[in-house]
Amino acid sequence: AQSVTQLGSHVSVSEGALVLLRCNYSSSVPPYLFWYVQYPNQGLQLLLKYTTGATLVKGINGFEAEFKKSETSFHLTKPSAHMSDAAEYFCAVSDREGGGNKLTFGTGTQLKVEL
Amino acid sequence: DAGITQSPRHKVTETGTPVTLRCHQTENHRYMYWYRQDPGHGLRLIHYSYGVKDTDKGEVSDGYSVSRSKTEDFLLTLESATSSQTSVYFCATRPTSGTNTGELFFGEGSRLTVL
């Protein structure tokens, strides 16, 4: 069974500071990994994904994440936070083997950006 | 973006009444999913469908049923709503493609309150 752990349900950073949102996963097979963002009263939007190949993945809005198999981690980073980055972020894992490719989500991290 | 429409977007109902949420997609995606989102739990899978009349249970399926009579429509029914089913419900779809990386596209959500 797959699982995702997001450390820190709330993260607060200053505008211009580094954003680091942590995600660790558990999977019996090499997984596909995703980060989604949710703005208030909206659905989820894909930020980036790792499927295969290069372990450093770049996404939209300046975000990137690195797949580290040895650490079973897929942490999300952005060098300089902007006020518009305030949102909830979800890490998710999908089993490559099929089964409808169901995504298993973490519990989410609410990012607050302060002036 | 996949054209995914959820209806109703907001609903208030009373305990014991039946409720049906509708998800309509215009992208001819094969796979469709219903998730519920609750604080501290992230998104949890209720049911999913891998084709017309082909559905299966997710991790929190008790008290819910689904139907898919057409590719474009996926209905979620609460036969007798309870207060524990107060939540935000998201429909998601996934295209069938050669890469099969599991990325989901989400609707805007349906907020259900059971009094």
Side-chain angles (χ1 to χ4, degrees), chain B residues 45-90:
Chain B
L45 182 65
I46 305 171
H47 281 280
Y48 65 102
S49 169
Y50 42 96
V52 173
K53 298 186 179 179
D54 288 326
T55 64
D56 205 348
K57 297 178 180 180
E59 61 177 309
V60 291
S61 59
D62 287 348
Y64 301 95
S65 62
V66 290
S67 65
R68 191 167 179 202
S69 58
K70 298 184 290 185
T71 298
E72 57 267 34
D73 290 325
F74 192 33
L75 304 180
L76 177 69
T77 297
L78 292 65
E79 299 291 346
S80 178
T82 67
S83 58
S84 64
Q85 293 175 312
T86 293
S87 186
V88 181
Y89 293 85
F90 284 97

Side-chain angles (χ1 to χ4, degrees), chain B:
Chain B
D1 290 340
I4 304 170
T5 305
Q6 293 185 226
S7 59
R9 294 290 314 280
H10 301 273
K11 186 173 181 64
V12 179
T13 191
E14 293 186 350
T15 298
T17 60
V19 175
T20 295
L21 305 180
R22 179 181 183 239
C23 178
H24 178 78
Q25 56 125 339
T26 59
E27 300 296 319
N28 200 36
H29 289 176
R30 176 182 176 185
Y31 297 94
M32 298 186 75
Y33 308 78
W34 277 108
Y35 285 87
R36 60 177 289 175
Q37 182 180 20
D38 304 287
H41 292 277
L43 280 83
R44 293 178 291 174
L45 182 65
I46 305 171
H47 281 280
Y48 65 102
S49 169
Y50 42 96
V52 173
K53 298 186 179 179
D54 288 326
T55 64
D56 205 348
K57 297 178 180 180
E59 61 177 309
V60 291
S61 59
D62 287 348
Y64 301 95
S65 62
V66 290
S67 65
R68 191 167 179 202
S69 58
K70 298 184 290 185
T71 298
E72 57 267 34
D73 290 325
F74 192 33
L75 304 180
L76 177 69
T77 297
L78 292 65
E79 299 291 346
S80 178
T82 67
S83 58
S84 64
Q85 293 175 312
T86 293
S87 186
V88 181
Y89 293 85
F90 284 97
C91 175
T93 70
R94 180 172 72 83
T96 306
S97 69
T99 57
N100 199 29
T101 59
E103 173 185 348
L104 299 186
F105 295 88
F106 284 83
E108 294 288 300
S110 294
R111 182 175 296 275
L112 175 66
T113 302
V114 183
L115 301 175

